[in-house]
């Protein structure tokens, strides 16, 4: 036991100004791991240094990677970029001030009361996480999200806002300005405004790259404002750009404190020393925990309800960054680390049974928050509060898992506030960057996402062709004939699924026959 206590102290990282602790002592690596990883870390530190100085760190997309400059504009490689970053933050603050004061208000109401944020992936996950973590109980504007092209999901959000659309500020966020889900959400919301006879342009603003499709639309329709996203900030590292800062500031969250926390963490993670650098310690622990090849999953358990979405946020940050087929030399490596988790102790009554006793294919990250709540707690029994339970459950789970050879990392923050949230975002951004170097992959591109997008687009093309074929034929026809006539016999299964979906949505397509035998079905349009 005392050995473990010693190991705890030997490996403990503490950031005094941030009140943040990182404990990797329950990862069972030998001290020799440090020496063996040293050369890789030397390269990782050098690459990170070059990245921060403006190298093309994302060669596949020929881009710089500059999210660290967002909180230290003076480090951006040109004066023009430095000015653009500073001006971007000032634009947000000036705009938010006008919204909060009512100087800028909707045509038919004295103030905006709600935000409807439309976006997906990096254009949604950060704002969702931060809203959950930091929005005050009574924010100046309440936030709602459309982060999918699910019609029922869109209806649910719009129904909830039905009586308040006239007081809602619509944020359309898309770096590329061409992501279908975000575009569809925008068109659906625009329609809802039309139905209510409201002027959408007087409610909408765009957060996107200058001259994107979305930017042009916002300009041509004279939307309230356009906020620039930078080419050199990836979607999954954009929380501390306008993507995250604007909705946060609108909700009354102190964005300067978020930036300051991130900046402090960036300073700490610039240190070229594994032991003294919390992001390097994390990357080393992940490397150890997953054998440097993703052999184990990363379970993230924040013991704090407000951090519930941190694991989902990290899922994109880690998996989109590290999940790569080839390394930077073109070798097949199939890298990645799977991330999942919700929150403790809730998950203890869901899947922790398997973690303790089942397949040992994971390592954990506990996120601990020292401050239980603002204000005093009642005692449930003499000397014991709800927060003591939560703390005890975290300790107990960590111990029980360790005893059964399940490793864990524990990240401890004093409280959930804008500074600590900025700091943990920065910590994980840096750890992901280091890990990419350790395993020699480009952590900043996402080529794999394109395949699914292209396939979806070709299905929609196929749907149009099928409808043409059906409309030009008076007779019901078997699927095989339909596929033949569409010129894509090999796509028969996709065609079957398209017509089944159209029929289910009363889109004028009818199917007749035995549904358990799709090849018996006759398709027609009514
Ligand atoms: O902000 P955009 O361009 O709409 O992209 C949304 C998301 O889509 C992705 O490009 C993946 O398809 C993510 O990297 C990104 O965060």
């Amino acid at each position: 036991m005392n050995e473990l206590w010693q190991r705890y102290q030997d490996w403990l990282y503490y950031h005094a100004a941030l009140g943040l602790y990182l404990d990797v002592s329950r990862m069972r690596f030998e001290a020799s791991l440090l020496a063996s990883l040293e050369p890789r870390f030397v390269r990782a530190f050098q690459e990170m240094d070059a990245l921060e100085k403006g190298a093309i760190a994302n060669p596949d997309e020929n881009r710089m990677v500059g999210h660290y400059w967002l909180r230290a504009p003076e480090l951006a490689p040109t004066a023009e970029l430095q000015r653009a970053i500073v001006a971007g933050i000032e634009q947000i603050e000036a705009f938010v001030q006008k919204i909060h004061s009512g100087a800028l208000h909707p045509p038919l109401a004295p103030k905006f009361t709600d935000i409807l944020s439309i976006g997906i992936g990096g254009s949604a996950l950060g704002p969702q996480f931060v809203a959950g973590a930091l929005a005050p109980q009574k924010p100046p504007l309440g936030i709602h999200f459309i982060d999918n092209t699910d019609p029922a999901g869109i209806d649910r959000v719009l129904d909830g806002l039905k009586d308040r659309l006239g007081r809602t500020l619509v944020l359309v966020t898309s770096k590329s300005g061409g992501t279908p889900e975000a575009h569809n959400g925008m068109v659906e919301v625009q329609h809802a405004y039309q139905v209510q006879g409201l002027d959408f342009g007087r409610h909408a603003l765009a957060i996107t790259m200058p001259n994107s499709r979305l930017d042009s639309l916002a300009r041509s329709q004279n939307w309230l404002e356009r906020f620039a996203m930078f080419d050199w900030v990836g979607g999954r590292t954009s929380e501390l750009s306008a993507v995250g800062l604007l909705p946060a500031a609108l909700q009354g969250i102190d964005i300067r404190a978020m930036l300051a926390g991130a900046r402090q963490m960036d300073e700490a993670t610039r240190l070229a020393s594994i032991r003294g650098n919390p992001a390097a310690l994390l990357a080393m622990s992940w490397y150890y925990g997953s054998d440097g090849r993703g052999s184990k999953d990363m379970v993230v358990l924040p013991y704090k309800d407000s951090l519930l979405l941190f694991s989902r946020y990290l899922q994109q940050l880690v998996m989109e960054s590290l999940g790569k087929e080839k390394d930077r030399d073109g070798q097949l490596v199939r890298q990645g680390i799977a991330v999942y988790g919700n929150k403790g102790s809730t998950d203890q009554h869901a899947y922790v049974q398997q973690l303790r006793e089942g397949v040992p294919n994971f390592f954990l990250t506990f996120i601990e928050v020292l401050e239980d709540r603002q204000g005093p707690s009642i005692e449930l029994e003499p000397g014991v509060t709800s927060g003591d339970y939560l703390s005890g459950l975290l300790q107990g789970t960590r111990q029980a898992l360790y005893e059964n050879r399940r490793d864990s990392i524990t990240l401890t923050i004093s409280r959930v506030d804008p500074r600590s949230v900025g700091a943990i975002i920065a910590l994980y951004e840096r750890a992901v960057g280091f890990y990419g170097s350790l395993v020699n992959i480009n952590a900043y591109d996402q080529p794999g996402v394109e395949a699914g997008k292209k396939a979806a687009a070709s299905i929609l093309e196929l749907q149009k062709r099928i409808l043409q074929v059906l409309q030009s034929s008076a007779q019901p026809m078997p699927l095989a004939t339909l596929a033949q006539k569409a010129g894509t016999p090999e796509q028969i299964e996709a065609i079957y699924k398209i017509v089944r979906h159209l029929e289910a949505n009363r889109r004028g397509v009818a199917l007749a026959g035995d549904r358990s035998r799709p090849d018996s079905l006759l398709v027609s349009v009514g």
Side-chain angles (χ1 to χ4, degrees), residues 370-516:
L370 293 178
E371 183 182 85
D372 287 340
R373 57 156 56 105
Q374 284 174 357
S377 287
I378 57 159
E379 292 191 354
L380 307 171
E381 50 197 85
V384 179
T385 66
S386 313
D388 297 341
Y389 263 95
L390 191 66
S391 175
L393 285 161
L394 189 161
Q395 279 221 51
T397 306
R398 172 174 172 271
Q399 197 175 317
L401 287 163
Y402 188 76
E403 281 164 8
N404 221 13
R405 303 195 63 78
R406 272 69 171 165
D407 287 357
S408 64
I409 298 164
T410 304
L411 176 65
T412 302
I413 55 176
S414 304
R415 66 187 61 80
V416 180
D417 61 15
R419 185 176 291 268
S420 63
V421 166
I424 61 174
I425 287 172
L427 174 64
Y428 276 85
E429 285 177 350
R430 190 81 92 182
V432 164
F434 284 152
Y435 192 89
S437 291
L438 294 187
V439 300
N440 191 32
I441 51 134
N442 179 354
Y444 306 106
D445 63 357
Q446 53 286 325
V449 186
E450 292 309 312
K453 284 188 192 168
K454 283 191 189 130
S458 77
I459 295 283
L460 290 170
E461 280 307 313
L462 184 59
Q463 173 168 321
K464 287 181 197 157
R465 245 190 353 266
I466 288 164
L467 280 172
Q468 279 165 2
V469 173
L470 286 170
Q471 275 150 7
S472 62
S473 160
Q475 295 300 319
M477 65 181 94
L479 283 164
T481 312
L482 178 55
Q484 201 72 44
K485 288 192 171 186
T488 49
E490 75 291 352
Q491 293 273 40
I492 187 160
E493 186 173 332
I495 292 171
Y496 159 65
K497 290 190 172 168
I498 290 169
V499 292
R500 188 178 65 176
H501 174 249
L502 290 173
E503 189 206 29
N505 287 284
R506 297 170 295 282
R507 303 273 297 284
V509 171
L511 298 180
D514 178 355
R515 301 213 172 225
S516 70

Side-chain angles (χ1 to χ4, degrees), residues 120-123 173-177 179 182 229 235-236 316 320 446 449 453:
I120 194 165
S123 292
T173 307
S174 175
K175 179 182 173 185
S176 60
T179 303
M229 284 182 79
R236 55 189 174 273
Q316 186 201 21
E320 201 167 62
Q446 53 286 325
V449 186
K453 284 188 192 168

Side-chain angles (χ1 to χ4, degrees), residues 95-127:
F95 180 81
V96 169
Q97 214 276 328
K98 281 194 278 178
I99 296 287
H100 285 172
S101 68
L104 185 58
H105 60 86
L108 303 175
K111 275 196 178 181
F112 285 103
T113 56
D114 292 84
I115 306 162
L116 176 50
S117 168
I118 305 170
I120 194 165
S123 292
L125 289 161

Side-chain angles (χ1 to χ4, degrees), residues 297-361:
D297 302 342
M298 184 192 306
V299 182
V300 179
L301 285 188
Y303 276 61
K304 188 54 69 186
D305 289 357
S306 64
L307 297 181
L308 169 71
L309 294 183
F310 190 50
S311 38
R312 200 188 293 174
Y313 169 79
L314 286 185
Q315 206 164 49
Q316 186 201 21
L317 178 63
V318 174
M319 295 178 75
E320 201 167 62
S321 301
L322 303 180
K324 300 291 154 68
E325 185 168 54
K326 295 194 172 148
D327 69 11
R328 290 184 293 194
D329 303 320
Q331 299 298 316
L332 187 69
V333 287
R334 295 209 180 95
Q335 272 291 353
I337 304 178
V339 178
Y340 68 92
N342 300 298
K343 61 173 171 143
S345 72
T346 314
D347 289 357
Q348 205 148 334
H349 300 272
Y351 58 78
V352 170
Q353 162 65 29
Q354 174 171 323
L355 299 191
R356 173 71 171 51
E357 296 184 350
V359 53
N361 60 351

Side-chain angles (χ1 to χ4, degrees), residues 116 118 146 158 170 184-193 200:
L116 176 50
I118 305 170
I146 290 181
L158 287 175
V170 182
N184 298 355
M186 191 270 293
V187 174
E188 292 257 6
V189 172
Q190 201 165 21
H191 174 73
Y193 272 80
F200 180 70

